[in-house]
Amino acid sequence: MALRAAHAGKDQAFGANVLAGMARQMLYNSRPDDALQLISLAQEGARGIVGPRMRAMLHTREAWAYAAQGRAAGFQRATARAAEALDETRPDEEEPYWITYFDEAELAGVTGGRLLDLARKDPKQHAEQAAAQIQAALSARGTEVSRSHALDRIGLAECYFLVGDVSGAVGETQRAVEAARLTQSDRVRTQLGQLYPYTVGHSASRPVREARDSIRDLLSS
């Protein structure tokens, strides 16, 4: 319906944004091929019309699809294009209000999240880079963006688990749980649930067990 409304209103920029949202849903449903097709349509329809922030966002959705397909080289190319587009933003340039959220912090956060997707299959290659991007997002965003802050903390905790830094992982897990208490986001709770298996095991140390308990207590509340 939104896409039809954008077409009727001749708002090609918003139509591209709707397609990007549809691609996001395809990615959440493990359908990266469909997501890539939708993003290609969005980029084609937006060519020569949208500003640099919108172009950057579309490139990150493209990168997400490549990461979901396990195509690391394609992911890197699309991410580089997103960074180049964002560098073209100017303070006096007017862009739709619904894309103003996309800044350097958002780019770092989504890049870190997609590197984490790749790191789950190849931790040695991608986990440290993912952690660095997520840390950059945390530094730039601050704690006032509670949902994004919680997601960043969860992602960083997983990065530490993947590289074997148990102490760092436990600390970030506790901070992630504290941040999650400040938001009612279902996605935050879903991500915490995905972090939980890292804390399970007969050989888990006391700090790891305590981190596990904190996740379980929050998810059951």
Side-chain angles (χ1 to χ4, degrees):
M1 288 175 66
L3 193 58
R4 288 172 181 167
H7 180 73
K10 296 181 172 55
D11 191 339
Q12 291 170 278
F14 189 70
N17 189 51
V18 173
L19 286 168
M22 293 167 68
R24 185 186 187 100
Q25 296 306 313
M26 293 297 101
L27 289 161
Y28 282 148
N29 285 284
S30 302
R31 294 169 60 182
D33 294 348
D34 291 336
L36 200 54
Q37 289 182 17
L38 287 165
I39 285 299
S40 294
L41 287 172
Q43 290 171 324
E44 182 179 343
R47 188 171 290 115
I49 297 170
V50 300
R53 290 184 195 275
M54 184 65 178
R55 295 201 312 275
M57 185 274 284
L58 291 174
H59 281 308
T60 61
R61 296 290 164 86
E62 178 188 2
W64 187 349
Y66 285 136
Q69 291 174 329
R71 298 166 63 182
F75 162 79
Q76 295 289 357
R77 286 194 301 271
T79 299
R81 293 190 191 106
E84 290 169 4
L86 200 58
D87 283 342
E88 296 175 11
T89 58
R90 298 290 181 268
D92 59 345
E93 187 171 10
E94 290 187 13
E95 294 192 71
Y97 71 91
W98 41 260
I99 196 60
T100 55
Y101 76 93
F102 199 93
D103 55 13
E104 287 78 6
E106 185 68 13
L107 176 60
V110 297
T111 300
R114 304 297 68 81
L115 282 166
L116 179 54
D117 291 342
L118 293 168
R120 293 184 183 114
K121 297 179 180 177
D122 190 352
K124 291 183 179 180
Q125 184 70 23
H126 301 291
E128 289 187 3
Q129 192 180 0
Q133 288 289 334
I134 294 171
Q135 285 171 329
L138 281 165
S139 297
R141 270 203 263 252
T143 59
E144 66 277 4
V145 188
S146 58
R147 177 179 176 273
S148 296
H149 181 76
L151 290 169
D152 287 341
R153 289 292 182 195
I154 295 167
L156 190 55
E158 186 173 359
C159 287
Y160 286 145
F161 275 120
L162 286 169
V163 299
D165 182 355
V166 176
S167 177
V170 166
E172 282 303 327
T173 297
Q174 297 290 8
R175 284 186 279 273
V177 171
E178 291 172 9
R181 294 187 191 282
L182 302 177
T183 175
Q184 296 300 312
S185 168
D186 289 337
R187 186 179 170 210
V188 166
R189 280 153 177 75
T190 297
Q191 294 295 98
L192 269 179
Q194 293 177 358
L195 185 64
Y196 184 83
Y198 290 96
T199 67
V200 175
H202 295 296
S203 61
S205 64
R206 179 176 177 180
V208 173
R209 293 197 304 270
E210 290 174 349
R212 180 177 65 219
D213 291 344
S214 68
I215 294 175
R216 187 172 58 235
D217 289 347
L218 178 61
L219 293 180
S220 63
S221 63

